[in-house]
Amino acid sequence: VKKVVTTTSIDVQVYCLFLIATTWRKLEEHHKALTCYNEVLKFSPNSACAFNHKGDTFYELHLYPDALENYSKAIELEPNHQLAHNNKGVTLHDMKRHLEAIECYDNAILANPGDPSPYYNRAI
């Protein structure tokens, strides 16, 4: 019983940290959001979702190398993470690394053929 309560408690803490981080991002308090994502990663160091959101935050700050690092980590942890592939492609596109971006979009399409975003991004 104690293990279940502890696990649930950590899950709730992680969920709350994600909500707080999302709020900070909407308020354009990106550094505070990054602090929350780092706290999530203390609880769940293999959270591809946290690395993807952390990458999004770095992207919003125009810190593209840091965004790429986090998207790559998300993909390493979860190779079919469609959003991380797509977001990495968007970042590479903004860095004028178009061929690499296309490869990311192709991987995103393979991971989830039903999502139109990578098709659109690949076309522009």
Side-chain angles (χ1 to χ4, degrees), residues 36-48:
C36 290
Y37 293 129
N38 288 333
E39 287 298 313
V40 167
L41 289 166
K42 286 180 186 176
F43 289 110
S44 299
N46 294 321
S47 172

Side-chain angles (χ1 to χ4, degrees), residues 82 108-119:
Q82 186 266 339
I109 291 166
L110 287 172
N112 183 4
D115 183 353
S117 297
Y119 294 99

Side-chain angles (χ1 to χ4, degrees), residues 5-57:
V5 171
T6 302
T7 302
T8 302
S9 177
I10 289 172
D11 290 344
V12 170
Q13 289 174 337
V14 167
Y15 178 74
C16 289
L17 285 166
F18 268 112
L19 291 177
I20 293 166
T22 301
T23 302
W24 283 128
R25 281 178 60 198
K26 287 183 180 188
L27 294 170
E28 297 185 10
E29 294 283 350
H30 297 94
H31 294 293
K32 291 178 181 178
L34 288 170
T35 299
C36 290
Y37 293 129
N38 288 333
E39 287 298 313
V40 167
L41 289 166
K42 286 180 186 176
F43 289 110
S44 299
N46 294 321
S47 172
C49 186
F51 280 108
N52 183 63
H53 284 289
K54 194 173 168 185
D56 291 343
T57 307

